[in-house]
Amino acid sequence: MQLSSLLIAIEVGGVVAFATSGLIEAMRKRMDAVGVFSVAFVSAFGGGTVRDLLLDRRPLFWIEHEAYLWLVLAMALTAPAWLPMALRETGARLMHVADALGLGLFAIAGTSIAQASGMSPLVSALMGATTAIVGGVARDVLCNEVPQVYHDHRPYAVCALAGSAAYLGLAAAGAGAQWASAAGVAVATGSRLAAVALGWRLPRWHPRRP
Amino acid sequence: MQLSSLLIAIEVGGVVAFATSGLIEAMRKRMDAVGVFSVAFVSAFGGGTVRDLLLDRRPLFWIEHEAYLWLVLAMALTAPAWLPMALRETGARLMHVADALGLGLFAIAGTSIAQASGMSPLVSALMGATTAIVGGVARDVLCNEVPQVYHDHRPYAVCALAGSAAYLGLAAAGAGAQWASAAGVAVATGSRLAAVALGWRLPRWHPRRP
Amino acid sequence: MQLSSLLIAIEVGGVVAFATSGLIEAMRKRMDAVGVFSVAFVSAFGGGTVRDLLLDRRPLFWIEHEAYLWLVLAMALTAPAWLPMALRETGARLMHVADALGLGLFAIAGTSIAQASGMSPLVSALMGATTAIVGGVARDVLCNEVPQVYHDHRPYAVCALAGSAAYLGLAAAGAGAQWASAAGVAVATGSRLAAVALGWRLPRWHPRRP
């Protein structure tokens, strides 16, 4: 299946955003060069790879579009030049923005790819969330931490699901793909940024000590 | 391939049992709502998903039977209502029984599916064990713990393999699918419950300090 | 696709080497029998399994060659007899040699299989590195450690990539498969052994504290 150019633009944005978040994490952990490259690759390609495996799509999206590989390779190679400067200037905000952007872009990419493969709305939304969060979970597991997404009590997967729902709803209502996609990304990324900025919290899921 | 109604009954039982064990674990860890849902999904669907990926079966079993998804969703949504009460009343025993039931049911489901895909007895038994234990291992890795199954020195995978062997032996001897399945589940679940109740221990695999 | 007998010889060597490294690790961790078997299997088959999943090759290499399974089973069963003796006599060197040999053999096996599946040189080299390092990473994640390959600051994946590059370069230059393979293994294993013996270090990838 050929991705439309809209989908390619969304995917490139997501790859750049998540590779950046992976580079920031790995540098914070003072990893060596191989660790930095690996974490950047896993963050950028992990979610989409799992989605493609679950849907049995071949070639994998980063084999079909090998330019994505070269892009992340170039970002990692040049990271010592631009990343410390970027970090110094904008602090932890860059990480949050990169992460929220990647979340929204990958959620919509995954949802629309799953829908095009004939999946139901529930499965499509789950594939969107998988695409959006698996990269970050794998990154955290590799760094030997409880995945942030599971214990920071800020909405994350919920934002991806909200964006997917917006996309699926608008598409079902007859909106054009570009409008549905834009709205979906805006809902997912916007709600995540708002959650971080305003301190929205998820409920703990245990009303009293058992 | 259509699952027989026998296999569906076995799978539903395994999904309910492992989702329950995942909900208990995640609530103990005081995870937020997303963490609780994710751990319930991974515990219930992780093993069968890896089995389907290794055997190249599509659609995945929880995409083919989307009702499984809705079932786990409903269990997680209502968990704060019924789970603390269940925990208070029966303590840690509920966790052990749910886990042992899931172990036996998924071991037989995985073994019979692999055999129906033309796998050899050794590979079929390994697929049964994979189906039975991967969900729990993934749950523990996500929670940043050494998987219990690898260091509690109680038989676990061994019980799954014993159940699979009983199933394969009876099926090869000409027993009907329902009798072989029932015996396999009984051997796997029963031996696991006995191991926990009676304190059976696995040998450490290192006779002296190297 | 049938593996040539050259490739089978390379794979058997890699399986034995990595199973040995997994057995050493698991015994050091004082795991029980099931833990020891699981870690041996994951170390020996993890990398090739992920490669086969990514390339959509079926049957998986250890299902196609079921003798590999029996081989690792026999190694794990007899490990208490021969491993402590081997450890006592040769100390940590055995681990390093087994690991370096497995690295080189699996890197070339993975690269040549990917190339035979029509992958580009970049993707083939990445598949070689995946085959060579995923088993060890999964082993370390299961043991709840930051994967050594990411933080020991010794070249590891880089050695696999160097061996793959040597193989691909010689094959492109028209060398026979056996010479290209031998040179690739020699470059990967030799550079890894030299790195450990001489204390070569990878650069950290963060020039100054951000």
Side-chain angles (χ1 to χ4, degrees), chain C residues 4-86:
Chain C
S4 73
S5 50
L6 173 66
L7 196 44
I8 289 180
I10 291 177
E11 268 194 349
V12 169
V15 164
V16 169
F18 267 127
T20 303
S21 89
L23 289 170
I24 294 173
E25 249 335 79
M27 286 199 175
R28 273 191 192 154
K29 286 269 170 186
R30 323 226 128 240
M31 286 188 170
D32 60 35
V34 169
V36 169
F37 279 74
S38 303
V39 172
F41 273 105
V42 164
S43 305
F45 301 125
T49 300
V50 170
R51 174 202 64 211
D52 286 353
L53 288 174
L54 294 178
L55 293 175
D56 209 13
R57 292 177 79 241
R58 293 298 190 299
L60 300 174
F61 77 106
W62 49 270
I63 291 180
E64 189 179 358
H65 301 279
E66 197 176 316
Y68 295 175
L69 279 181
W70 291 105
L71 176 65
V72 173
L73 208 58
M75 287 178 68
L77 274 172
T78 58
W82 58 269
L83 199 56
M85 201 173 54

Side-chain angles (χ1 to χ4, degrees), chain C residues 110-129:
Chain C
T111 303
S112 59
I113 286 173
Q115 202 188 23
S117 299
M119 294 293 129
S120 72
L122 174 63
V123 172
S124 296
L126 284 176
M127 289 294 166

Side-chain angles (χ1 to χ4, degrees), chain C residues 126-145:
Chain C
L126 284 176
M127 289 294 166
T130 299
T131 310
I133 73 178
V134 162
V137 168
R139 178 193 64 200
D140 294 343
V141 168
L142 287 180
C143 297
N144 203 21
E145 304 203 326

Side-chain angles (χ1 to χ4, degrees), chain B residues 7 51 55 105-115 124 127-128 131:
Chain B
L7 195 44
R51 175 202 63 212
L55 294 176
L105 293 162
F106 272 169
I108 301 310
T111 303
S112 59
I113 287 173
Q115 202 187 23
S124 296
M127 290 293 166
T131 310

